[in-house]
Amino acid sequence: MARKPVHLAVYDTLADWETGHTTAYLARGGYEIRTVGASLAPVRSVGGLRIQPDVTLDDLRPEDSSLLILPGADLWDTSDGLAPFARKAREFLDADVPVAAICGGTAGLAREGLLDDRAHTSAVSFYLAATGYKGGERYVDADAVTDGRLVTAGPTEPVAFAREVFGLLGVYEGEVLDAWYRLFHDSDAEAYAVLEAAGQ
């Protein structure tokens, strides 16, 4: 059976570096990556990349997706313009479809109330506290956290973020997942041999 696509939310001021490991290796693992925007109008990342959305947020249905990824962006903290993406994340989680948020995307989830009852992380605890959310006691000081169908991470942890996503979707597991993380996070040359032996 064909895998459903992974959907990457795209919007102006998108933080380019936060999801590259995740999307590249999901694609290598057989997932189609589709971009989802508020409209089909192109957006510009922080690095100036022009991105053309494949589908609109209104047309995205959880049942047609394997995962929704919410990257960070300046707009998460300067307006409520990205709130519809957090509301879509609620739809996904209510439908038991995974969501992965990094950096500012975690603040959007906090404002939506999605972190009040789930273990989570972000840049720092006081960053989320500034949203006024009620989940402070569930904050975990870790690189990345998975709670059920939700992955969260801070802006400096794109590799740990990817690791959690791969584990959640079963792209890599066990020794191979650990080796992938050690190679890209720690530059552990020995990990390369493990991946090569596993055909990765």
Side-chain angles (χ1 to χ4, degrees):
M1 188 168 125
R3 289 173 165 165
K4 296 177 183 178
V6 165
H7 288 88
L8 172 68
V10 296
Y11 20 71
D12 285 328
T13 71
L14 163 77
D16 313 64
W17 63 91
E18 292 177 346
T19 60
H21 289 87
T22 304
T23 55
Y25 282 87
L26 285 175
R28 285 188 169 186
Y31 286 91
E32 177 189 6
I33 309 299
R34 293 182 54 80
T35 52
V36 55
S39 72
L40 293 179
V43 299
R44 290 259 179 211
S45 73
V46 168
L49 297 179
R50 181 182 184 273
I51 304 168
Q52 177 72 55
D54 295 312
V55 65
T56 67
L57 196 61
D58 286 343
D59 288 338
L60 177 61
R61 303 183 312 163
E63 59 265 34
D64 297 330
S65 184
S66 291
L67 170 73
L68 175 63
I69 302 173
L70 298 181
D74 295 344
L75 291 179
W76 283 114
D77 299 319
T78 58
S79 75
D80 62 359
L82 299 186
F85 289 91
R87 289 195 291 273
K88 185 62 70 172
R90 178 180 291 281
E91 286 182 37
F92 269 61
L93 292 171
D94 286 348
D96 199 35
V97 179
V99 171
I102 185 169
C103 189
T106 64
L109 297 186
R111 292 185 189 97
E112 183 63 20
L114 295 173
L115 303 184
D116 290 351
D117 301 311
R118 293 176 172 93
H120 60 276
T121 194
S122 185
V124 287
S125 60
F126 57 81
Y127 170 65
L128 291 186
T131 68
Y133 85 132
K134 300 174 182 176
E137 292 184 357
R138 303 299 306 274
Y139 187 89
V140 180
D141 188 12
D143 294 344
V145 171
T146 299
D147 186 337
R149 307 299 272 172
L150 178 65
V151 172
T152 52
T156 61
E157 298 299 335
V159 178
F161 180 68
R163 177 196 62 204
E164 296 300 304
V165 170
F166 300 157
L168 184 61
L169 295 184
V171 175
Y172 301 131
E173 297 176 318
E175 181 183 53
V176 174
L177 180 61
D178 178 65
W180 184 92
Y181 180 74
R182 287 188 290 113
L183 178 63
F184 287 97
H185 189 267
D186 304 326
S187 300
D188 183 346
E190 292 181 7
Y192 182 79
V194 176
L195 294 174
E196 190 174 52
Q200 303 298 324

